[in-house]
Amino acid sequence: MHGSLSPRAFALPALVLVPFVVLLVAVLAVHGDPLGVDTWWAGVVGGWHAPGLTTGARLVSDLGGGVVGGLEIPAALAALVWWLRSRAAALVFVAGGVLSLAATQVVKHLVDRPRPPTAGMAGSFDSFPSGHVANAATLALLLVLLLGVRWLWPVAVVWPAVMALSRTVLGVHWLSDTVAAASLGAAAALVTVVLAARFAPRALPARPLWPRPAQADESGSWQVARASVHP
């Protein structure tokens, strides 16, 4: 019988969420206007004229949104997790993606930030945070944590960063939109794993890449969950 989750289990997700909270407060304080770092970065990427840069940015962006990035790639990755790990792990992967999407959409509607003028999307008020980057951060981190493969860690860092770069190069998001999204997406992935450790421990690797959440046993003392996993 599993004990209740310790509040300390959410310490890491809360820490990862700090950049999102800071940027959210900053954006709300200026009523959605660009921050100083946003205008600076827009000027930097606006001066890049490398051949094929825009084409490459569009390709990366297409892999992170729409039918391909929002449905086909996540479905393929979930199938991969199922094949390499288990059906339970695949369900956790899907749940994490849904949580990230829901959180992103809620924040978009609450903040109502206009897109950059360069986006060519007049009347669009869903700039903060970037759904593409949040999705990339969540799926990449979940892939690493559910498969338990250390050499995949660079993917969890590089892929969201490349997605963020593509969105700002295309001028459809401010830098703060993408950084906040990476923070929110990563936190969503970590919260999903924390909840999986409590409700579906067999979905996680036998040797996780980060400490299991502390749980309270029936005597009330705090312990670390050590559920074994069979693919």
Side-chain angles (χ1 to χ4, degrees):
M1 180 177 182
H2 299 296
S4 59
L5 275 174
S6 162
R8 290 177 295 176
F10 294 95
L12 183 56
L15 181 63
V16 170
L17 196 62
V18 168
F20 165 78
V21 174
V22 171
L23 289 170
L24 174 62
V25 171
V27 168
L28 290 176
V30 297
H31 307 289
D33 289 339
L35 305 175
V37 68
D38 292 328
T39 54
W40 166 76
W41 182 249
V44 171
V45 297
W48 293 352
H49 301 289
L53 179 61
T54 301
T55 300
R58 284 179 180 150
L59 175 60
V60 171
S61 187
D62 288 343
L63 293 176
V67 175
V68 175
L71 182 60
E72 294 179 354
I73 290 180
L77 291 176
L80 178 65
V81 172
W82 189 335
W83 180 52
L84 294 177
R85 288 283 299 114
S86 66
R87 179 175 61 181
L91 291 175
V92 169
F93 183 85
V94 172
V98 172
L99 175 62
S100 178
L101 175 62
T104 301
Q105 292 304 313
V106 168
V107 176
K108 279 179 177 289
H109 284 85
L110 290 176
V111 176
D112 212 27
R113 190 186 200 185
R115 295 272 184 167
T118 52
M121 302 168 69
S124 178
F125 295 89
D126 60 348
S127 189
F128 185 97
S130 166
H132 283 66
V133 177
N135 182 55
T138 300
L139 299 187
L141 185 54
L142 280 176
L143 195 65
V144 173
L145 295 177
L146 291 175
L147 294 183
V149 181
R150 294 184 183 278
W151 58 263
L152 280 177
W153 271 117
V155 176
V157 176
V158 174
W159 180 237
V162 170
M163 186 62 68
L165 181 61
S166 76
R167 300 303 281 169
T168 55
V169 165
L170 294 175
V172 294
H173 278 292
W174 298 111
L175 178 64
S176 56
D177 297 333
T178 63
V179 175
S183 172
L184 181 61
L190 292 173
V191 167
T192 302
V193 172
V194 168
L195 295 176
R198 169 63 179 85
F199 298 105
R202 293 177 64 85
L204 304 182
R207 294 184 178 181
L209 299 183
W210 69 304
R212 298 274 187 173
Q215 296 180 334
D217 60 19
E218 294 181 354
S219 66
S221 61
W222 295 106
Q223 298 181 351
V224 176
R226 299 182 182 281
S228 61
V229 181
H230 301 285

